[in-house]
């Protein structure tokens, strides 16, 4: 680091700082006690520390919801946006500042309802970003309304006799999108698995979509209660190219060898009614990333001016 005109100039090529977890800790988290978001924040801070991500070259983008307070609790750059629009903001950042590492944090209402159109096309564009869906199955910030992932029959303020429709399955949606390149599921109450999944997502080249099952003990404690209290309901998908956490072998004895390059098997596992499957369902790092395919287009000023001239000439008399 050198100084000029009294302002610090950061020289990242020669930056020998070693970051500690305190370098990433922002304001004190104000989520409810017992909220699963606390566990996710801890895993993200651990990831940032272990991967030694430069705080001023890292951006967290969120929309609106309990989980979208995430950027406030990290000492990186952050953009707390508007409902459902985290992905367009992240797309703009990624395209104009490819030197930055971009993470997106969304809730289930944010991502799978108002932001669903952006979600589908972001998966298809496959920018090199990490997208975390913190899925608690409820609108928590606005106090207990049915979201697209609320289980059928679960009572809420908007559907007090129980959610009327079967829930949307975010994994099935993501696996159905052309050019999706990384789809995983993990749970905040299994922090070792959560961390390993986030690390795999970060290291993947392309858009990494991670659905994180997240408890809301205030409004939706029953949503994941059975899976939390009975590990037999959970199956870990294991593969050398996916996520393997030996520390969990004694807790989660149901483990399925799943090749994450097999899209048909991934879709079957996403549809599994018998177990909650955790792991990397699908990955294909060869799928094209929009920011890279876009770069092969003419980019110099003269080339762009020539294209504009040619277009205007079409209208010349
Ligand atoms: Fe977490 Fe639910 Fe509280 Fe929101 S309402 S902070 S999701 S426990």
């Amino acid at each position: 680091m050198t100084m000029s005109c009294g302002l610090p100039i950061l020289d990242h090529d020669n930056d020998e700082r070693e970051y500690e977890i305190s370098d990433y800790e922002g304001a004190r988290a104000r989520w409810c006690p017992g909220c699963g978001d606390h566990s996710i924040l801890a895993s993200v801070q651990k990831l940032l520390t272990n991967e030694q991500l430069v705080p001023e070259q890292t951006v967290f983008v969120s929309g609106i919801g309990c989980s979208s307070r995430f950027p406030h609790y990290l000492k990186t750059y952050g953009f707390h946006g508007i409902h459902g629009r985290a992905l367009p903001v992240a797309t703009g950042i990624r395209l104009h500042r490819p030197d930055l590492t971009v993470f997106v944090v969304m809730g289930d209402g944010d991502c799978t309802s108002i932001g669903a159109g952006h979600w589908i096309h972001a998966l298809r564009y496959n920018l090199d970003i990490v997208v975390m869906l913190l899925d608690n199955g409820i609108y928590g910030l606005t106090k207990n309304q049915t979201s697209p992932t609320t289980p059928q029959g679960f009572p809420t303020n908007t559907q007090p006799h129980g959610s009327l429709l079967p829930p949307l399955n975010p994994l099935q949606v993501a696996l159905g999108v052309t050019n999706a390149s990384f789809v995983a599921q993990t749970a905040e109450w299994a922090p070792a698995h959560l961390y390993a999944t986030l690390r795999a997502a970060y290291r993947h080249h392309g858009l990494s979509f991670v659905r994180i099952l997240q408890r809301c003990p205030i409004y939706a404690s029953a949503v994941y209660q059975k899976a939390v209290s009975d590990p037999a309901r959970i199956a870990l998908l294991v593969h050398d190219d996916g996520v393997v956490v030996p520390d969990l072998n004694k807790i989660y004895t149901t483990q399925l060898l799943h090749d994450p390059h097999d899209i048909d098997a991934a879709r079957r596992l996403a549809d599994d009614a018998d177990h909650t499957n955790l792991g990397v369902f699908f990955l294909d790092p060869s799928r094209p990333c929009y920011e890279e395919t876009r770069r092969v287009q003419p980019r110099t000023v003269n080339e762009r001016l020539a294209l504009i001239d040619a277009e205007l000439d079409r209208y010349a008399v």
Side-chain angles (χ1 to χ4, degrees):
M1 183 188 300
T2 57
M3 301 291 286
S4 172
C5 305
L7 295 172
I9 296 175
L10 302 177
D11 179 357
H12 297 299
D13 290 339
N14 297 307
D15 191 347
E16 293 179 355
R17 284 178 293 172
E18 182 166 338
Y19 300 103
E20 299 180 359
I21 203 154
S22 58
D23 292 310
Y24 303 101
E25 289 172 343
R28 190 171 65 85
R30 291 171 52 200
W31 293 304
C32 306
C35 176
D37 289 348
H38 293 285
S39 165
I40 300 167
L41 178 65
S43 278
V44 166
Q45 289 171 336
K46 182 178 171 184
L47 177 77
L48 296 172
T49 310
N50 289 352
E51 299 293 331
Q52 286 290 287
L53 289 178
V54 178
E56 59 269 24
Q57 289 188 309
T58 305
V59 190
F60 279 78
V61 183
S62 66
I64 293 294
C66 292
S67 58
S68 289
R69 293 194 56 79
F70 227 87
H72 298 275
Y73 306 146
L74 290 163
K75 214 187 291 174
T76 63
Y77 280 107
F79 193 113
H80 187 175
I82 54 176
H83 205 198
R85 312 297 177 226
L87 283 164
V89 172
T91 299
I93 294 170
R94 181 67 196 161
L95 290 178
H96 290 276
R97 289 294 305 273
D99 56 312
L100 303 180
T101 302
V102 182
F103 292 84
V104 176
V105 184
M106 296 183 289
D108 38 296
D110 207 25
C111 174
T112 70
S113 184
I114 189 171
H118 299 304
W119 173 39
I120 287 168
H121 290 286
L123 285 160
R124 177 171 158 261
Y125 273 50
N126 192 33
L127 294 158
D128 192 11
I129 60 179
V130 177
V131 176
M132 294 181 278
L133 164 58
L134 278 56
D135 189 351
N136 57 12
I138 202 79
Y139 284 92
L141 186 71
T142 46
K143 304 191 188 305
N144 195 24
Q145 291 90 29
T146 301
S147 94
T149 63
T150 302
Q152 190 171 22
F154 188 85
T156 67
N157 282 348
T158 44
Q159 297 186 348
H161 300 296
S163 177
L164 298 171
L165 297 172
L168 178 146
N169 182 330
L171 299 173
Q172 288 175 325
V173 174
L175 290 167
V177 175
T178 307
N179 208 41
S181 73
F182 183 105
V183 177
Q185 177 162 271
T186 183
E188 47 79 10
W189 62 87
H193 193 272
L194 169 62
Y195 171 74
T197 307
L198 291 177
R199 184 179 58 189
Y202 165 69
R203 293 181 177 181
H204 171 72
H205 183 64
L207 190 148
S208 308
F209 175 71
V210 183
R211 181 193 188 197
I212 306 173
L213 309 180
Q214 177 240 315
R215 289 169 294 178
C216 168
I218 302 300
Y219 297 116
S221 59
V223 168
Y224 298 121
Q225 193 172 5
K226 288 179 181 170
V228 173
S229 59
D230 183 5
R233 290 175 178 269
I234 287 186
L236 299 185
L237 308 181
V238 294
H239 192 276
D240 286 345
D241 292 340
V243 169
V244 179
V245 188
D247 289 351
L248 296 177
N249 289 352
K250 286 186 181 163
I251 302 172
Y252 299 112
T253 52
T254 305
Q255 304 203 355
L256 306 173
L257 183 63
H258 166 60
D259 179 354
H261 303 281
D262 184 343
I263 185 79
D264 294 326
R267 287 177 178 144
R268 282 194 301 276
L269 289 165
D271 207 20
D272 184 354
D274 297 329
H275 291 98
T276 299
N277 294 318
L278 304 183
V280 178
F281 284 67
F282 178 69
L283 80 96
D284 182 355
S286 72
R287 295 200 164 181
C289 297
Y290 182 71
E291 67 260 56
E292 287 155 15
T293 56
R294 185 172 173 262
R295 271 186 217 132
V296 303
Q297 304 296 324
R299 296 198 67 192
T300 68
V301 171
N302 285 340
E303 285 170 328
R304 290 183 184 193
L305 286 173
L307 286 173
I308 292 171
D309 282 344
E311 188 63 20
L312 291 176
D313 284 347
R314 292 177 55 214
Y315 302 98
V317 194

